[in-house]
Amino acid sequence: MTFLDLLFPPKTSCIVCNASIKSGYLCDRCKASLEIINGNRCRICGKPLKEGEICSDCLKTPHYFKQNVSPFEYEGIVKELIAKFKYFNERHLASFFADYMADAVKNMGWNIEVIVPVPLHRIRLDERGYNQSELLARELSYRLNIFMSKALRRVKNTTTQTALHREERMENVKGAFKVTYKDTIEGKNVLLVDDVLTTGATLDECAKALKENGAKEVYVVTIATGRM
């Protein structure tokens, strides 16, 4: 049991369909419906691939981060759970997601030295009351036994990325992040944590700021990945 479990005790019903369960978060039926990425994936952004090693998006747009891994596709039940976690104060889901994310990171064999969450602007943070990426990063820090640093600060209150096209997303987050604790990331391999990767624009801008301030390599873990 983690600290978040104590604050937000696990429910005794499935968080998706409300069926009775003895433990955990999902009933067997909903658990079987999770869109887990098991097959071939892009070796850069982590999106599922039918064939090849790099997806067409990554071939067209180079990334500042080295690799992303996501345990899930951004579809179905996972998409619904992320919405609950991100917008409806279901903070306890950080523990559920982090179990899968930690296993995915371990399987990649990366040499991670510090974990950094993607930050929210203070206005957005005041509105929501919490940063979902920071909750995930803290849970991952506990599971992977790696120090977490709030090394990034969001200095622009950007428009939500959801309705924007790829080029608009890149322009929207340009210069949005600054490094505040340079000593915690300088010369180190960083694990950047966020909830979803679609175009990777936000994660690229974060990775750019980290690398410009001395980070060695920037790896990414997200709950899910999907196309726009």
Side-chain angles (χ1 to χ4, degrees), residues 132-148:
Q132 73 280 357
S133 297
E134 184 179 334
L135 294 181
L136 292 169
R138 290 190 184 280
E139 290 292 312
L140 287 169
S141 176
Y142 170 77
R143 286 162 174 75
L144 300 173
N145 194 28
I146 299 172
F147 172 70
M148 188 201 87

Side-chain angles (χ1 to χ4, degrees), residues 211-223:
K211 295 196 79 171
E212 286 178 346
N213 283 272
K216 192 174 179 181
E217 292 288 359
V218 178
Y219 299 89
V220 175
V221 62
T222 54
I223 299 169

Side-chain angles (χ1 to χ4, degrees), residues 9-225:
K11 299 181 179 181
T12 55
S13 60
C14 175
I15 53 180
V16 175
C17 70
N18 290 320
S20 296
I21 53 176
K22 292 182 179 179
S23 62
Y25 295 95
L26 298 173
C27 67
D28 290 342
R29 184 173 66 84
C30 289
K31 189 179 291 185
S33 299
L34 292 174
E35 298 284 348
I36 298 175
I37 302 175
N38 285 318
N40 189 41
R41 64 176 79 201
C42 174
R43 64 178 174 85
I44 298 174
C45 74
K47 292 175 184 175
L49 272 181
K50 290 183 179 179
E51 58 184 11
E53 293 186 349
I54 303 176
C55 71
S56 58
D57 290 340
C58 290
L59 285 172
K60 286 185 289 187
T61 308
H63 294 290
Y64 285 94
F65 61 84
K66 191 173 181 68
Q67 285 182 293
N68 167 70
V69 66
S70 308
F72 301 113
E73 289 189 57
Y74 191 48
E75 300 286 348
I77 286 176
V78 170
K79 191 172 184 177
E80 181 180 337
L81 291 177
I82 290 173
K84 288 176 182 284
F85 173 51
K86 192 171 180 178
Y87 302 115
F88 295 97
N89 205 31
E90 297 274 6
R91 305 186 201 190
H92 62 279
L93 287 173
S95 179
F96 168 75
F97 289 131
D99 282 343
Y100 289 91
M101 295 167 77
D103 286 343
V105 170
K106 289 174 185 176
N107 288 338
M108 296 302 289
W110 297 331
N111 179 29
I112 302 299
E113 297 166 279
V114 61
I115 296 173
V116 175
V118 171
L120 287 179
H121 190 272
R122 58 180 178 79
I123 294 175
R124 193 72 59 84
L125 185 60
D126 288 344
E127 291 172 351
R128 188 173 298 171
Y130 62 98
N131 176 4
Q132 73 280 357
S133 297
E134 184 179 334
L135 294 181
L136 292 169
R138 290 190 184 280
E139 290 292 312
L140 287 169
S141 176
Y142 170 77
R143 286 162 174 75
L144 300 173
N145 194 28
I146 299 172
F147 172 70
M148 188 201 87
S149 170
K150 294 168 71 171
L152 283 172
R153 181 165 62 95
R154 198 168 195 139
V155 294
K156 285 173 58 179
N157 187 25
T158 53
T159 305
T160 180
Q161 298 276 76
T162 307
L164 302 179
H165 297 297
R166 178 183 300 276
E167 292 76 15
E168 294 173 322
R169 290 186 178 209
M170 293 170 67
E171 187 62 30
N172 186 44
V173 295
K174 193 172 182 179
F177 303 96
K178 300 292 183 185
V179 170
T180 52
Y181 300 107
K182 185 175 179 179
D183 60 309
T184 65
I185 57 98
E186 196 169 15
K188 294 179 181 178
N189 289 328
V190 176
L191 180 65
L192 189 60
V193 181
D194 204 6
D195 49 11
V196 179
L197 182 150
T198 48
T199 63
T202 298
L203 291 159
D204 263 328
E205 198 63 23
C206 287
K208 180 182 178 183
L210 290 166
K211 295 196 79 171
E212 286 178 346
N213 283 272
K216 192 174 179 181
E217 292 288 359
V218 178
Y219 299 89
V220 175
V221 62
T222 54
I223 299 169
T225 183

